[in-house]
Amino acid sequence: MNILVMAYAISPYRGSEYAVAWNYVMRMSKKNNLTVLYGTSDEHIGETDTIDKYLKEHTVKNVRFIAVQPNILTNLLNWPNRNGLFVYTFYYAFAVWQRTAYNVAKEIIKTEHFDLVHNVGPIGYREPGYLWKLGLPYIWGPVGGANNAPLQLMKHMPLIGRMKQTFRNVANIIQFHTKHRLKLALKATDVLLTATSENQRKFKKVYHKDSIYFPENCITGEITLDESKFDNPSKYNIIVIGTLDSRKSIGIFLESLVQVYNRDMLHVDIVGDGPLRDNL
């Protein structure tokens, strides 16, 4: 098939959503022709140096990558976020960028045939983009973000972290139930993929929309543990990778280690940096 893919953030080197999009493209391109619209491979909208360098050095068969460059308004709105002044302006900038990407897609389908559109990323439901308006069979997901941070797990957060998560919870409830473009996008979606079972339940309960539970890492079956790894080791080695902020709740993990009876048999590597590094 010829598939038009929306993958805002994509990179062969980064993890999280960048890796989800990259792995999807690598797998689907084995039997399909993909045209991938993207906005970044690095930190901010329009920063594509990493993937540009990769594509100069490697050939990716059956895939055409099209970088959608931000316009002046997108750059102006994203300036406070880019400079660390007010990160939430990114969402306004991103909405404008999505409109630009939609205009690029409209021009492409005037002269080329596509069997379907797949909006792979970003994972958050808040920005469904506009490619669902193209009138082609439409897949969206994996989608997440509808769940809220549990109050029980917030009580040991620093005050600023609790305030941010509380604000996010309240805003999230309002947005998920009232966002007009979300409702339109869901109505036009032929196949919805949800990243967690909780998100699957919420989309069904609030919007009566069936979805396929499809986690980002694609592990959908039963996970079997190789117990031989734990036969009398001298140490149990654990690694944690991620940003050291209240959102990631590394503190909960560290508190749990204190409860382990033979904790002298544990060795933990924590890889990452962030505002809570000294505190942790």
Side-chain angles (χ1 to χ4, degrees), residues 240-256:
V240 178
I241 304 172
T243 306
L244 304 182
D245 61 13
S246 58
R247 184 171 53 97
K248 296 295 185 181
S249 299
I250 305 298
I252 295 174
F253 168 68
L254 295 178
E255 287 182 29
S256 69

Side-chain angles (χ1 to χ4, degrees), residues 12 38 60 72 87 94 101 113 135 163 184 188 223 235 237 240 261 274:
Y38 69 99
V60 183
I72 295 175
V87 298
F94 189 41
H113 166 76
M163 291 174 62
L184 295 177
I223 299 173
K235 288 281 185 181
N237 295 301
V240 178
Y261 182 69

Side-chain angles (χ1 to χ4, degrees), residues 108-141:
I108 293 173
I109 67 171
K110 285 181 180 178
T111 57
E112 299 180 40
H113 166 76
F114 289 93
D115 297 289
L116 62 90
V117 178
H118 189 164
N119 185 356
V120 176
I123 190 174
Y125 74 84
R126 291 176 185 81
E127 186 46 69
Y130 298 91
L131 268 60
W132 48 270
K133 299 176 68 175
L134 294 174
L136 294 168
Y138 187 74
I139 301 175
W140 184 17

Side-chain angles (χ1 to χ4, degrees), residues 164-182:
K164 285 183 177 179
Q165 285 299 324
T166 301
F167 172 78
R168 180 203 175 277
N169 283 0
V170 173
N172 195 41
I173 292 170
I174 295 172
Q175 286 179 311
F176 187 67
H177 286 80
T178 63
K179 193 172 182 68
H180 182 60
R181 192 149 47 91
L182 170 62

Side-chain angles (χ1 to χ4, degrees), residues 219-234:
I219 300 174
T220 56
E222 290 224 6
I223 299 173
T224 57
L225 186 64
D226 180 7
E227 296 184 5
S228 65
K229 294 191 300 183
F230 304 101
D231 288 342
N232 302 314
S234 58

